[in-house]
Amino acid sequence: LQKQLKDGTTAQVEGLNLEHELVKQLKKEYPTDIIEHHGKAGDILHKIIFKTKEIGSILYECKKTATFSKSYIDQTKKAKSDRNATYGVLVTVASKRNTQGFYVENDIIVVHPYGTVYVAQVLRTSIIEMHSLKLNQKELEGRAQDLMDFVKSDSFKNSVENTIYRTRELADLLQKEMKAHQKIWHDRFIHYNEIHNNANKLGIATSNILKGIPVSKGLTKGEMKQLPQPNID
């Protein structure tokens, strides 16, 4: 899995604008929430809305780099504090030694882009459930710490890493499927084009015979109409 993530996944997200892609995905998944992209500040604030009221938030810091730096954790921690967010998530393709796309450091969740929406779903659900329980502040802090302890566990880590791996596999399969479809479409067009040409030739030859034009004279230039190329962009 570590080799798959290192050799395959990073290359597939090199051309992506991580922040814009994440904003787009979050807005699609949670249309009733407020997703704020703070541009030059480099972070995304996901405000969870429950019954028209904001009940918590998730701060995402995106780092599109192949080299990991501990300063990214500190930067995410500061951004989480500045935005007064419930949770802080560092989204990056870079990995610390002996990690495989997911871990928690200093209560900041570090996750590969392929696992981010999955983590967001867990955190968002927990915020809504804690709010629904009507706990006091001390109880809320205790439950939040319990959740963070679970997020740090091998069980949670393995689930996220498996999600990252399967997302990468699906991306590979989709690319292969698209290439296969394009080849099939190209081959089908060649056959359709030949059928079209054959029908066209017979039609023109028949028309010429009826007009008294000998078949031996052949087709005049411009009589054959070409089948338009399909647009498959």
Side-chain angles (χ1 to χ4, degrees), residues 26-39:
L26 291 173
K27 286 183 176 181
K28 180 181 177 181
E29 291 292 325
Y30 312 112
T32 60
D33 289 348
I34 298 173
I35 314 297
E36 295 179 353
H37 184 196
H38 291 278

Side-chain angles (χ1 to χ4, degrees), residues 3-216:
K3 185 177 186 302
Q4 292 278 2
L5 291 172
K6 187 180 292 183
D7 296 345
T9 317
T10 302
Q12 291 182 6
V13 295
E14 279 182 354
L16 296 179
N17 184 321
L18 292 184
E19 293 174 30
H20 286 88
E21 286 298 319
L22 180 54
V23 167
K24 186 165 65 175
Q25 288 185 51
L26 291 173
K27 286 183 176 181
K28 180 181 177 181
E29 291 292 325
Y30 312 112
T32 60
D33 289 348
I34 298 173
I35 314 297
E36 295 179 353
H37 184 196
H38 291 278
K40 290 184 179 179
D43 58 56
I44 299 164
L45 187 62
H46 177 182
K47 296 180 178 180
I48 287 81
I49 306 299
F50 182 71
K51 294 182 178 179
T52 72
K53 180 183 177 182
E54 180 186 339
I55 59 171
S57 60
I58 306 169
L59 184 284
Y60 308 90
E61 186 77 33
C62 297
K63 292 295 181 185
K64 184 181 168 186
T65 174
T67 306
F68 184 81
S69 170
K70 187 182 181 301
S71 65
Y72 300 155
I73 299 285
D74 299 333
Q75 186 176 344
T76 307
K77 189 86 173 178
K78 183 179 183 305
K80 172 181 175 289
S81 177
D82 291 345
R83 305 289 183 196
N84 196 28
T86 312
Y87 296 106
V89 179
L90 173 59
V91 183
T92 177
V93 297
S95 59
K96 195 172 77 169
R97 192 172 183 178
N98 298 323
T99 63
Q100 300 177 348
F102 177 87
Y103 67 99
V104 180
E105 183 172 320
N106 199 13
D107 284 341
I108 294 299
I109 298 168
V110 184
V111 62
H112 188 279
Y114 283 173
T116 306
V117 174
Y118 178 74
V119 169
Q121 180 183 359
V122 173
L123 297 180
R124 182 181 184 275
T125 300
S126 73
I127 290 172
I128 293 174
E129 288 185 354
M130 282 192 290
H131 177 79
S132 301
L133 291 172
K134 303 186 185 304
L135 304 173
N136 61 42
Q137 188 59 36
K138 186 177 180 180
E139 289 172 324
L140 279 173
E141 290 173 358
R143 298 291 174 84
Q145 188 57 54
D146 289 342
L147 175 67
M148 186 56 66
D149 290 341
F150 173 62
V151 169
K152 293 177 183 177
S153 71
D154 288 342
S155 175
F156 189 89
K157 179 173 72 72
N158 291 338
S159 180
V160 175
E161 288 176 350
N162 187 265
T163 297
I164 294 169
Y165 166 73
R166 292 188 182 281
T167 302
R168 176 196 172 275
E169 289 294 292
L170 286 170
D172 283 345
L173 288 172
L174 180 60
Q175 288 183 353
K176 291 175 182 177
E177 185 179 358
M178 289 172 65
K179 288 179 181 178
H181 276 308
Q182 287 179 344
K183 184 181 184 308
I184 291 171
W185 291 336
H186 176 264
D187 292 346
R188 284 176 62 188
F189 176 77
I190 290 175
H191 290 306
Y192 280 125
N193 192 52
E194 286 303 309
I195 292 170
H196 170 81
N197 288 342
N198 289 337
N200 225 356
K201 288 176 184 177
L202 290 176
I204 293 171
T206 301
S207 177
N208 285 346
I209 290 172
L210 295 176
K211 293 176 183 177
I213 302 173
V215 174
S216 58

